[in-house]
Amino acid sequence: MVSKTRLIVSDFIVSIIWVWNGALIKMFVFKVLQMGHDSRGEFMRQSLTVVSPFFFAFLGKVTKGASYNPLAVLSSAISGDFSQFLFTIGTRIPAQVIGSITAVRLLIDTFPEIGRGPRLNVDIHKGALTEGLLAFGVVTISLGLARKIPGSFFMKTWISSISKLSLHILGSDLTGGCMNPASVMGWAYARGDHITKEHIVVYWLAPIQGALLAVWTFKLLFRPQKQDEKEKLTGKTD
């Protein structure tokens, strides 16, 4: 019970740090370094964005699994037992959402000029398809890295970071390329459009469906590693 409570609190805190991380990187590049929104400024911002996941991967190790993204915890919960699934959707994801909302509220109070977060720039159908495909891609990559590179912290984090950045760039002009329902919820709540059809369909239903499809597809294409190892041992015995 204590470990679960600690994990919920960690999710809440890490979600706050994640929202602030993205905002502070933009402020550092465009305000402190006074770079414009040209190729130099965007290169610096994206370079810092690539490095920051190492810090969050480290936090995940220290806290024994804390996460800022509902898609990450949901994909692992689907592969676990039913009690883990209920714990994830009933406590961990709400903690991430509340953490994101709190972070955005603090950001806006501290830096009113910070902006209002990602917005949908296409119709609802294209937006839902975009976020669904991005979620499918990011979850598939995460599952593949966990299977193929189980022990390499640096290599796994580096590939994951580059992949997420590439997917983000692909969807940034359409939906913001978020791939994080909790983070988008924080900004949408601040704007007052968190219960609109566009927000729920594009930034919640579509990514969750994409994540579920990725998990199920991965299970169909790849057998669990324990099963593979068991069959190898059986073959050696024979």
Side-chain angles (χ1 to χ4, degrees), residues 153-212:
F153 173 81
F154 177 82
M155 185 60 65
K156 185 163 57 175
T157 306
W158 174 255
I159 295 174
S160 175
S161 179
I162 294 295
S163 302
K164 288 177 181 177
L165 176 60
S166 301
L167 291 172
H168 166 73
I169 292 174
L170 287 174
S172 58
D173 291 336
L174 304 177
T175 62
C178 305
M179 299 171 288
N180 186 339
S183 178
V184 184
M185 179 69 171
W187 292 105
Y189 186 86
R191 295 193 303 264
D193 58 11
H194 58 290
I195 55 174
T196 60
K197 179 182 177 182
E198 287 79 6
H199 173 75
I200 294 172
V201 171
V202 174
Y203 296 109
W204 278 100
L205 294 181
I208 289 175
Q209 289 176 349
L212 292 175

Side-chain angles (χ1 to χ4, degrees), residues 69-89:
N69 194 335
L71 300 182
V73 296
L74 183 62
S75 60
S76 61
I78 297 169
S79 304
D81 55 27
F82 188 63
S83 61
Q84 181 186 353
F85 177 76
L86 290 178
F87 171 67
T88 299
I89 64 172

Side-chain angles (χ1 to χ4, degrees), residues 2-233:
V2 176
S3 61
K4 287 186 175 181
T5 303
R6 188 185 297 117
L7 189 57
I8 295 169
V9 174
S10 299
D11 284 339
F12 173 79
I13 295 173
V14 170
S15 297
I16 292 177
I17 298 173
W18 172 255
V19 173
W20 272 74
N21 170 72
L24 291 179
I25 285 176
K26 290 181 181 178
M27 291 189 65
F28 176 73
V29 173
F30 300 127
K31 297 286 185 181
V32 178
L33 299 182
Q34 295 184 343
M35 290 184 171
H37 291 269
D38 54 9
S39 57
R40 287 179 64 250
E42 287 300 320
F43 177 78
M44 176 61 71
R45 184 171 73 89
Q46 302 300 356
S47 297
L48 294 174
T49 302
V50 168
V51 174
S52 61
F54 285 91
F55 172 67
F56 287 95
F58 172 74
L59 286 181
K61 275 184 166 292
V62 171
T63 57
K64 296 181 180 179
S67 176
Y68 53 85
N69 194 335
L71 300 182
V73 296
L74 183 62
S75 60
S76 61
I78 297 169
S79 304
D81 55 27
F82 188 63
S83 61
Q84 181 186 353
F85 177 76
L86 290 178
F87 171 67
T88 299
I89 64 172
T91 56
R92 295 196 65 184
I93 291 178
Q96 293 169 339
V97 171
I98 295 171
S100 298
I101 292 173
T102 304
V104 172
R105 197 66 176 268
L106 291 172
L107 264 175
I108 293 175
D109 290 342
T110 309
F111 307 105
E113 74 281 4
I114 197 64
R116 288 296 183 269
R119 290 179 181 272
L120 181 64
N121 298 318
V122 292
D123 63 71
I124 187 172
H125 302 292
K126 290 181 180 178
L129 180 61
T130 300
E131 283 294 317
L133 289 174
L134 292 178
F136 178 86
V138 74
V139 171
T140 300
I141 291 168
S142 298
L143 292 172
L145 290 174
R147 178 184 174 87
K148 297 297 183 182
I149 318 177
S152 176
F153 173 81
F154 177 82
M155 185 60 65
K156 185 163 57 175
T157 306
W158 174 255
I159 295 174
S160 175
S161 179
I162 294 295
S163 302
K164 288 177 181 177
L165 176 60
S166 301
L167 291 172
H168 166 73
I169 292 174
L170 287 174
S172 58
D173 291 336
L174 304 177
T175 62
C178 305
M179 299 171 288
N180 186 339
S183 178
V184 184
M185 179 69 171
W187 292 105
Y189 186 86
R191 295 193 303 264
D193 58 11
H194 58 290
I195 55 174
T196 60
K197 179 182 177 182
E198 287 79 6
H199 173 75
I200 294 172
V201 171
V202 174
Y203 296 109
W204 278 100
L205 294 181
I208 289 175
Q209 289 176 349
L212 292 175
L213 183 60
V215 172
W216 292 333
T217 303
F218 198 84
K219 281 185 176 182
L220 286 174
L221 296 177
F222 300 99
R223 291 175 297 181
Q225 284 183 315
K226 289 183 178 179
Q227 184 178 343
D228 288 346
E229 292 173 0
K230 187 176 180 181
E231 289 185 2
K232 287 180 181 178
L233 289 172

